[in-house]
Amino acid sequence: MSKDILKIAGLELESRILIGSGKFSNNALIPKIIEASGAQTITVAVRRFDFDNPNENILSYITKGINIMPNTSGARNSQEAVTIARLAREALKTDLIKIEIINDNKYLLPDNYETARACETLAKDGFKVFPYMNADLPSARDMQNAGAAAIMPLGAPIGTNKGLQTKAMIKILIEEIDLPIIVDAGLGKPSDACQSMEMGCAAIMANTAISSSENPILMAEAFKDAVNAGRKGFLAKLGTISNKAQASSPLTNFLRN
Amino acid sequence: MSFYDYKQQYKNIDFEKFAKTVCAEQIKTILNKDEISEFDFLALLSPAALDFIEPMAQKAADIALKHFGKAIVLFAPLYASNFCINNCAYCGFSTRNDIERKILNLDEVEENAKIVSGFGIRHILLLTGESAVKTSMDYLKSCVKILKRYFDAVDIEIYPLTEDGYKELGEAGVEGLTVFQETYNEDLYKILHTKGAKANYRFRLETCERAGRAGYRNLNIGALLGLDDFSRELFFTGIHAKFLQKNFPSSDIGVSFPRIRKAEGGYQPRTVIADSNLVQAIAAIRLFVHRIGITISTRENNDLRRNLIGLGITKMSAASNTQVGGYAKKGNTKGQFEISDSASVKEVKDMIYQKNYQPVLKDWMQMNGR
């Protein structure tokens, strides 16, 4: 089998797992998580860039050669997201940006309308835009038309570890949207990641499931295995599932007589 | 509907009687729920719940971990003035106290800002007493502009303003507000605050709503624990937090649990809040509001702060000095209250690391003027 490469935003990735960085007990864990998960891409909140305190600066801990995808955590509307994206580009010289626009600090659900607007502005400005969104087809189409590089629907509210609650909607996105679909937020177990990949998601993003585990490194490895298994299952094309045994008295045999 | 009107639905609760009805079985049932009602919350604040303090703490820590991870944001307070027109019986800045009054001039604000930012602190809380004459809007704006040059986030804990006042300071760069109601008990409040602008209970109670409408990102509330009955104060703190979260979804809601500290004037608290009650408060509010910031200041001693880290604290002050201009000149005025934890920023960071948590100095970014 030839190498299974995810081509996205000018990157060629062998790993189909993206990891978050904001919830670990110690930044020193980050290189170990990167290694165990095999991730080649890590997201970092621009609000946490801290060049004055190198020991507390997440950026000091990211393994060389790993793609850093800044996110706009804290943005409440498209204008703030655009501002934060530009700060990120200035600081890191990267065009990658994950848009997070959240107006609801209880459930942390993204604002699709503002996100689509930010996609439009940032894509025009040359950014490779990865919008975090509520799994919804019309909004995903808006983001696609606005020039997004991928679509990142949530599986469940962020931080809940509740798994693929939006499965039916994500299936629709996979079918109808021509961009890679990366499930973000809510995946609580390796099996959730596996299921996402079997369905045809291009990649998954995990953060809380790994960081809130008692053994984050082992959990990162479990996610890697699950993503690989799910991806292979998808590539091998799953057999159809039948709810019934084959009928012993076929109803249409008479047509052949 | 404002919170003042909203809270009227709870005015007839007999807190003492309610507490007596709470039994162990009830607490066990509550601890099995994902979402708890306001009366479940009140039950968790009862003496009966203290027998379940460990499972409460475990559950609270688990919820906090999912929402906030293992990160604790550090900040420091900067006292710019102790001029005050109020006579709060428990406060060192009260007009009753014959203390040296001081207001920092702008050079001194800058001098102190430089020192605090030199500690590595990126989040600052600007505090003043209540005096619209001495610490006028123009003065506050000038302070904020200076602080924005040294810090990424400037919050305020000053006298309550109108919505327009908050907007004006917001334009200067303020994004968060801390205001303690002191006591939610309106009758007691009127006894404790007989004079000055603070005598207006309702105006103070609705402060966060005005700041929320002005677009503030962080709204931090609290009752000064020790003034009134513990469960009653905590109950209304929780109800208030939920009300703000629902009505201002784009603001982060935070809570502090300040226990009365010894201050000039020698006020004796009505009730002493034990450490176990503080833990109970932290756990109960987490089970009730889930996504809520919890701040523990240097009012609490180093040992206790260390032990509270794992319970879901999200913010801690460090290297605090509650004297006006105290970072630059030690010991020249009386502080608002006596601090208990005088550890340096490095010591606080080390303490957090030792508890297997991560200190975060910077959790915001300058966006103004871009």
Side-chain angles (χ1 to χ4, degrees):
Chain A
M1 199 175 96
S2 62
K3 261 195 176 171
D4 176 34
I5 302 286
L6 171 60
K7 291 186 182 164
I8 189 167
L11 304 172
E12 297 200 354
L13 304 171
E14 286 178 42
S15 162
R16 289 173 180 269
I17 178 166
L18 289 77
I19 55 170
S21 60
K23 287 182 166 174
F24 293 110
S25 59
N26 196 316
N27 283 332
L29 267 173
I30 288 175
K32 295 174 192 163
I33 298 292
I34 289 172
E35 195 189 340
S37 64
Q40 293 170 290
T41 313
I42 184 166
T43 64
V44 180
V46 178
R47 64 197 288 174
R48 291 270 174 98
F49 289 5
D50 188 357
F51 299 105
D52 293 331
N53 293 292
N55 286 340
E56 278 69 42
N57 188 7
I58 282 178
L59 297 170
S60 324
Y61 294 83
I62 296 174
T63 319
K64 261 200 170 161
I66 297 296
N67 302 299
I68 300 175
M69 187 187 291
N71 73 46
T72 64
S73 164
R76 299 191 292 191
N77 53 47
S78 59
Q79 203 187 342
E80 288 177 359
V82 167
T83 302
I84 298 170
R86 287 180 179 151
L87 286 171
R89 176 148 77 182
E90 219 171 88
L92 296 188
K93 316 285 174 231
T94 179
D95 288 331
L96 296 176
I97 189 76
K98 182 183 167 204
I99 304 181
E100 287 184 21
I101 299 179
I102 289 170
N103 241 323
D104 173 90
N105 283 340
K106 182 173 178 189
Y107 300 103
L108 297 185
L109 293 172
D111 182 328
N112 282 354
Y113 171 70
E114 290 291 325
T115 303
R117 289 182 60 189
C119 275
E120 191 168 9
T121 309
L122 290 170
K124 273 187 193 153
D125 197 12
F127 281 93
K128 311 281 196 297
V129 182
F130 291 71
Y132 169 55
M133 53 102 65
N134 235 313
D136 169 66
L137 180 61
S139 307
R141 283 197 178 119
D142 287 342
M143 293 171 201
Q144 177 172 253
N145 293 338
I151 300 291
M152 300 184 75
L154 56 88
I158 200 164
T160 58
N161 286 348
K162 283 190 174 166
L164 269 182
Q165 301 288 322
T166 57
K167 189 174 170 186
M169 298 302 136
I170 289 177
K171 268 190 176 163
I172 293 172
L173 298 187
I174 293 170
E175 223 150 277
E176 300 300 327
I177 298 291
D178 295 330
L179 298 171
I181 303 296
I182 303 173
V183 180
D184 182 5
L187 301 184
K189 303 188 291 289
S191 56
D192 299 330
C194 187
Q195 201 183 9
S196 308
M197 298 308 293
E198 281 175 358
M199 278 164 55
C201 290
I204 64 105
M205 157 120 199
N207 188 4
T208 310
I210 295 175
S211 64
S212 70
S213 144
E214 281 187 19
N215 187 339
I217 296 169
L218 190 59
M219 186 57 87
E221 203 179 317
F223 264 83
K224 176 175 81 177
D225 293 344
V227 166
N228 286 339
R231 177 66 185 170
K232 283 177 186 163
F234 171 76
L235 291 174
K237 307 226 183 313
L238 301 174
T240 49
I241 297 168
S242 175
N243 290 327
K244 287 185 197 166
Q246 293 298 320
S248 52
S249 313
L251 296 173
T252 57
N253 266 1
F254 70 96
L255 294 174
R256 294 188 202 135
N257 295 333
Chain B
M1 188 193 285
S2 86
F3 183 62
Y4 183 84
D5 295 323
Y6 181 82
K7 86 186 264 286
Q8 299 309 319
Q9 65 183 299
Y10 302 109
K11 72 176 177 193
N12 292 327
I13 298 177
D14 183 334
F15 287 88
E16 263 178 51
K17 203 167 153 194
F18 180 93
K20 283 180 191 150
T21 66
V22 180
C23 65
E25 280 311 307
Q26 194 181 344
I27 303 292
K28 281 185 201 162
T29 308
I30 294 169
L31 288 177
N32 280 321
K33 295 183 184 178
D34 286 336
E35 304 284 337
I36 67 171
S37 72
E38 69 265 55
F39 291 103
D40 291 338
F41 172 54
L42 183 54
L44 293 180
L45 296 168
S46 69
L50 279 172
D51 292 339
F52 295 85
I53 196 80
E54 181 58 28
M56 272 174 75
Q58 291 287 350
K59 190 160 181 179
D62 189 46
I63 295 170
L65 189 59
K66 283 184 186 153
H67 282 281
F68 298 99
K70 292 196 129 192
I72 295 181
V73 176
L74 300 186
F75 74 101
L78 197 154
Y79 283 77
S81 163
N82 61 3
F83 280 94
C84 195
I85 56 169
N86 297 319
N87 63 347
C88 315
Y90 46 81
C91 178
F93 290 176
S94 164
T95 51
R96 293 175 208 222
N97 297 326
D98 182 23
I99 59 168
E100 188 196 337
R101 303 283 164 174
K102 183 169 169 60
I103 176 169
L104 298 184
N105 65 37
L106 297 180
D107 287 341
E108 289 169 323
V109 170
E110 179 143 15
E111 188 188 0
N112 280 276
K114 246 183 222 172
I115 294 169
V116 179
S117 88
F119 299 156
I121 291 286
R122 314 288 334 131
H123 290 229
I124 195 86
L125 178 65
L126 173 68
L127 296 100
T128 66
E130 176 146 9
S131 170
V133 176
K134 291 286 182 185
T135 44
S136 65
M137 180 56 74
D138 282 343
Y139 173 79
L140 293 168
K141 281 198 288 193
S142 303
C143 288
V144 171
K145 281 180 190 156
I146 292 168
L147 296 177
K148 288 296 275 187
R149 295 209 293 269
Y150 292 90
F151 303 98
D152 290 288
V154 179
D155 282 14
I156 48 172
E157 186 174 341
I158 59 169
Y159 52 93
L161 302 174
T162 60
E163 187 178 330
D164 284 343
Y166 286 122
K167 276 190 188 143
E168 229 178 293
L169 277 187
E171 279 157 20
V174 171
E175 297 187 280
L177 166 81
T178 291
V179 59
F180 296 151
Q181 184 59 28
E182 319 299 12
T183 175
Y184 283 92
N185 179 339
E186 191 168 357
D187 296 333
L188 176 65
Y189 184 95
K190 286 180 174 160
I191 295 169
L192 292 171
H193 309 96
T194 54
K195 174 173 165 277
K198 199 168 174 176
N200 188 338
Y201 173 85
R202 182 169 185 152
F203 189 71
R204 191 169 185 92
L205 191 67
E206 293 171 354
T207 300
C208 278
E209 293 161 59
R210 296 190 297 277
R213 284 194 293 273
Y216 279 34
R217 290 170 186 279
N218 307 309
L219 303 174
N220 195 40
I221 59 171
L224 187 54
L225 299 178
L227 294 179
D228 195 18
D229 171 67
F230 165 77
S231 67
R232 180 188 169 119
E233 292 289 29
L234 259 301
F235 176 74
F236 282 112
T237 307
I239 298 286
H240 194 186
K242 263 225 157 147
F243 173 90
L244 291 172
Q245 189 168 65
K246 185 165 179 182
N247 286 282
F248 300 97
S250 61
S251 301
D252 279 318
I253 309 303
V255 65
S256 305
F257 300 108
R259 295 192 283 185
I260 294 183
R261 294 282 310 153
K262 192 177 156 206
E264 190 69 14
Y267 180 79
Q268 289 302 317
R270 176 182 143 174
T271 48
V272 174
I273 309 299
D275 289 355
S276 55
N277 289 128
L278 186 61
V279 170
Q280 184 182 20
I282 290 169
I285 206 152
R286 174 71 66 211
L287 297 185
F288 183 49
V289 196
H290 290 207
R291 193 174 168 82
I292 186 168
I294 296 181
T295 303
I296 292 291
S297 79
T298 52
R299 280 172 187 264
E300 303 298 346
N301 70 45
N302 189 270
D303 247 11
L304 183 67
R305 274 160 49 97
R306 171 179 296 126
N307 286 320
L308 292 177
I309 287 173
L311 275 159
I313 302 307
T314 58
K315 232 175 163 183
M316 281 181 138
S317 49
S320 299
N321 191 312
T322 65
Q323 295 172 10
V324 176
Y327 295 106
K329 291 182 184 117
K330 300 277 182 206
N332 59 341
T333 63
K334 292 268 184 195
Q336 188 186 22
F337 56 86
E338 285 188 3
I339 59 169
S340 289
D341 184 356
S342 56
S344 69
V345 172
K346 177 167 186 316
E347 285 164 339
V348 173
K349 282 200 292 193
D350 288 347
M351 171 178 86
I352 294 171
Y353 279 127
Q354 278 161 17
K355 291 294 285 188
N356 203 25
Y357 274 69
Q358 169 152 271
V360 172
L361 276 304
K362 180 173 168 293
D363 193 37
W364 197 240
M365 66 227 119
Q366 298 267 8
M367 289 206 283
N368 283 20
R370 284 181 184 264

